Every structure is written in structure tokens, then in C-alpha cells.
Coordinates of all heavy atoms in Angstrom, one line a residue:
A1 N -55.6 53.1 37.7 CA -55.8 53.2 39.2 C -54.6 53.9 39.8 O -53.5 53.7 39.4 CB -56.0 51.8 39.8
I2 N -54.9 54.9 40.7 CA -53.8 55.7 41.2 C -53.7 55.7 42.7 O -52.8 56.4 43.3 CB -54.0 57.2 40.7 CG1 -55.2 57.8 41.3 CG2 -54.0 57.2 39.2 CD1 -55.3 59.3 41.0
C3 N -54.6 55.0 43.5 CA -54.6 55.2 44.9 C -53.4 54.4 45.5 O -52.8 53.5 44.9 CB -55.9 54.7 45.5 SG -56.1 52.9 45.5
P4 N -53.1 54.6 46.8 CA -51.9 54.0 47.4 C -51.9 52.5 47.4 O -50.9 51.8 47.1 CB -51.9 54.5 48.9 CG -52.6 55.9 48.8 CD -53.6 55.7 47.7
S5 N -53.1 51.9 47.7 CA -53.1 50.4 47.8 C -52.8 49.8 46.4 O -52.2 48.8 46.3 CB -54.5 49.9 48.3 OG -55.5 50.4 47.5
F6 N -53.3 50.4 45.3 CA -53.0 49.9 44.0 C -51.6 50.1 43.6 O -51.0 49.3 43.0 CB -54.0 50.5 43.0 CG -55.3 49.8 42.9 CD1 -56.3 49.9 43.9 CD2 -55.6 49.0 41.8 CE1 -57.5 49.2 43.8 CE2 -56.8 48.3 41.6 CZ -57.7 48.4 42.7
R7 N -51.1 51.3 43.9 CA -49.7 51.6 43.6 C -48.8 50.6 44.3 O -47.8 50.1 43.7 CB -49.3 53.0 44.1 CG -50.1 54.1 43.4 CD -49.5 55.5 43.6 NE -49.2 55.9 44.9 CZ -49.9 56.7 45.7 NH1 -51.0 57.2 45.1 NH2 -49.5 57.0 46.9
K8 N -49.1 50.3 45.5 CA -48.2 49.4 46.3 C -48.5 47.9 46.1 O -47.5 47.1 45.8 CB -48.4 49.7 47.8 CG -47.6 48.8 48.8 CD -47.8 49.2 50.2 CE -49.2 48.9 50.7 NZ -49.3 49.1 52.1
I9 N -49.7 47.5 46.1 CA -50.1 46.1 46.1 C -50.3 45.5 44.6 O -49.8 44.5 44.3 CB -51.4 45.8 46.9 CG1 -51.2 46.3 48.3 CG2 -51.8 44.4 46.8 CD1 -52.4 46.3 49.1
V10 N -51.0 46.3 43.8 CA -51.3 45.8 42.5 C -50.2 46.0 41.5 O -49.9 45.1 40.7 CB -52.7 46.4 42.0 CG1 -53.1 45.8 40.6 CG2 -53.8 46.1 43.0
F11 N -49.7 47.2 41.4 CA -48.8 47.6 40.3 C -47.3 47.7 40.7 O -46.4 47.6 39.9 CB -49.2 48.9 39.7 CG -50.6 48.9 39.1 CD1 -51.5 49.8 39.6 CD2 -51.0 47.9 38.2 CE1 -52.8 49.8 39.1 CE2 -52.3 47.9 37.7 CZ -53.2 48.9 38.1
D12 N -47.1 47.9 42.1 CA -45.7 48.1 42.5 C -45.1 49.2 41.8 O -44.0 49.1 41.2 CB -44.9 46.8 42.5 CG -43.5 47.0 43.2 OD1 -43.4 47.8 44.1 OD2 -42.6 46.3 42.8
Q13 N -45.8 50.4 41.7 CA -45.3 51.5 41.0 C -45.2 52.8 41.9 O -46.0 52.9 42.8 CB -46.2 51.8 39.8 CG -46.1 50.8 38.6 CD -46.9 51.2 37.4 OE1 -47.9 51.9 37.6 NE2 -46.5 50.7 36.3
S14 N -44.4 53.7 41.5 CA -44.3 54.9 42.2 C -45.3 55.9 41.7 O -46.0 55.7 40.7 CB -42.9 55.5 42.1 OG -42.7 55.9 40.7
K15 N -45.5 57.0 42.4 CA -46.4 58.0 41.9 C -46.0 58.5 40.5 O -46.9 58.7 39.7 CB -46.4 59.2 42.9 CG -47.1 59.0 44.2 CD -47.2 60.3 45.0 CE -48.0 60.1 46.3 NZ -48.0 61.3 47.1
D16 N -44.7 58.7 40.3 CA -44.3 59.2 39.0 C -44.6 58.2 37.9 O -45.0 58.6 36.8 CB -42.8 59.5 39.0 CG -42.4 60.8 39.8 OD1 -43.4 61.6 40.0 OD2 -41.3 60.9 40.2
E17 N -44.4 56.9 38.2 CA -44.7 55.9 37.2 C -46.2 55.8 36.9 O -46.6 55.7 35.7 CB -44.2 54.5 37.7 CG -42.7 54.4 37.7 CD -42.2 53.1 38.4 OE1 -42.8 52.8 39.4 OE2 -41.3 52.5 37.8
V18 N -47.0 56.0 37.9 CA -48.5 56.0 37.7 C -48.9 57.2 36.9 O -49.7 57.0 35.9 CB -49.2 56.0 39.1 CG1 -50.7 56.3 38.9 CG2 -49.0 54.6 39.8
K19 N -48.4 58.3 37.2 CA -48.7 59.5 36.4 C -48.2 59.4 35.0 O -48.9 59.8 34.0 CB -48.1 60.8 37.1 CG -48.4 62.1 36.4 CD -47.9 63.3 37.2 CE -46.4 63.3 37.3 NZ -45.9 64.6 37.9
A20 N -47.0 58.9 34.8 CA -46.5 58.7 33.4 C -47.3 57.8 32.6 O -47.5 58.0 31.4 CB -45.0 58.2 33.5
L21 N -47.9 56.8 33.2 CA -48.8 55.9 32.5 C -50.0 56.6 31.9 O -50.4 56.4 30.8 CB -49.2 54.7 33.4 CG -50.0 53.6 32.7 CD1 -49.1 52.8 31.7 CD2 -50.5 52.6 33.8
A22 N -50.6 57.5 32.7 CA -51.7 58.2 32.3 C -51.4 59.2 31.2 O -52.1 59.4 30.2 CB -52.3 59.0 33.5
V23 N -50.2 59.9 31.3 CA -49.8 60.8 30.3 C -49.4 60.1 29.0 O -49.8 60.6 27.9 CB -48.6 61.6 30.8 CG1 -47.9 62.5 29.7 CG2 -49.0 62.5 32.0
E24 N -48.8 59.0 29.1 CA -48.4 58.3 27.9 C -49.6 57.8 27.1 O -49.7 57.9 25.9 CB -47.5 57.1 28.2 CG -46.9 56.4 27.0 CD -46.1 57.3 26.1 OE1 -45.4 58.2 26.6 OE2 -46.1 57.0 24.9
G25 N -50.6 57.3 27.8 CA -51.8 56.9 27.2 C -52.5 58.0 26.5 O -53.1 57.9 25.4
T26 N -52.5 59.2 27.2 CA -53.2 60.4 26.6 C -52.5 60.7 25.3 O -53.2 61.1 24.3 CB -53.1 61.5 27.6 OG1 -53.7 61.1 28.8 CG2 -53.8 62.7 27.1
K27 N -51.1 60.7 25.3 CA -50.4 61.1 24.0 C -50.8 60.1 22.9 O -51.0 60.5 21.7 CB -48.9 61.0 24.3 CG -48.4 62.1 25.2 CD -46.9 61.9 25.4 CE -46.3 63.0 26.3 NZ -44.9 62.8 26.6
R28 N -50.9 58.8 23.2 CA -51.2 57.9 22.2 C -52.6 58.1 21.6 O -52.8 58.0 20.4 CB -51.0 56.4 22.7 CG -49.5 56.1 23.0 CD -49.4 54.8 23.7 NE -48.0 54.3 23.8 CZ -47.6 53.4 24.6 NH1 -48.4 52.8 25.5 NH2 -46.3 53.1 24.7
I29 N -53.5 58.3 22.5 CA -54.9 58.6 22.0 C -54.9 59.8 21.2 O -55.6 59.9 20.2 CB -55.8 58.7 23.3 CG1 -56.0 57.3 23.9 CG2 -57.2 59.2 22.9 CD1 -56.7 57.2 25.2
R30 N -54.2 60.9 21.6 CA -54.1 62.1 20.8 C -53.6 61.8 19.4 O -54.1 62.3 18.4 CB -53.3 63.1 21.5 CG -52.9 64.3 20.7 CD -54.1 65.1 20.2 NE -54.6 66.0 21.2 CZ -55.7 66.7 21.1 NH1 -56.4 66.6 20.0 NH2 -56.2 67.4 22.0
A31 N -52.6 61.0 19.3 CA -52.0 60.7 18.0 C -53.0 60.0 17.1 O -53.2 60.3 15.9 CB -50.7 59.9 18.2
H32 N -53.7 59.0 17.7 CA -54.7 58.3 16.9 C -55.9 59.1 16.5 O -56.4 59.1 15.4 CB -55.2 57.1 17.7 CG -54.3 55.9 17.7 ND1 -54.2 55.0 16.6 CD2 -53.3 55.5 18.6 CE1 -53.3 54.0 16.9 NE2 -52.7 54.3 18.1
A33 N -56.3 60.0 17.4 CA -57.4 60.9 17.1 C -57.0 61.9 16.0 O -57.8 62.2 15.1 CB -57.8 61.6 18.4
D34 N -55.8 62.5 16.1 CA -55.4 63.4 15.1 C -55.2 62.8 13.7 O -55.4 63.5 12.7 CB -54.0 64.0 15.5 CG -54.1 65.0 16.7 OD1 -55.3 65.4 17.0 OD2 -53.1 65.3 17.3
A35 N -55.0 61.5 13.6 CA -54.9 60.8 12.3 C -56.3 60.5 11.7 O -56.4 60.1 10.6 CB -54.2 59.5 12.5

């Protein structure tokens, strides 16, 4: 989830932290898929 209410209320994360979570998950899925 990336919208303002979730960033502020649910996760207490900044925009950069929310984006980093999506990117990191993508990298991990790529590694498992390549294997």
C-alpha cells in the first residue's frame, strides 16, 4: 500500500521507505525466479 493514509497511519513510513519496500521485494522475486 502506498497512499498517504497508509503511509502515515498504518506503516508510519516515508515515501522513500514505501518505494524501497516495493523495489526490494521485486529484487527478491527476481532472484528466486532466476534460480
Side-chain angles (χ1 to χ4, degrees):
I2 66 170
C3 75
S5 61
F6 274 72
R7 298 195 309 258
K8 179 178 68 174
I9 300 170
V10 180
F11 302 124
D12 189 23
Q13 290 183 333
S14 66
K15 286 184 176 181
D16 287 341
E17 289 172 316
V18 167
K19 181 173 65 173
L21 186 66
V23 170
E24 185 59 31
T26 304
K27 290 178 179 178
R28 289 170 174 167
I29 290 172
R30 167 60 79 186
H32 281 277
D34 289 346

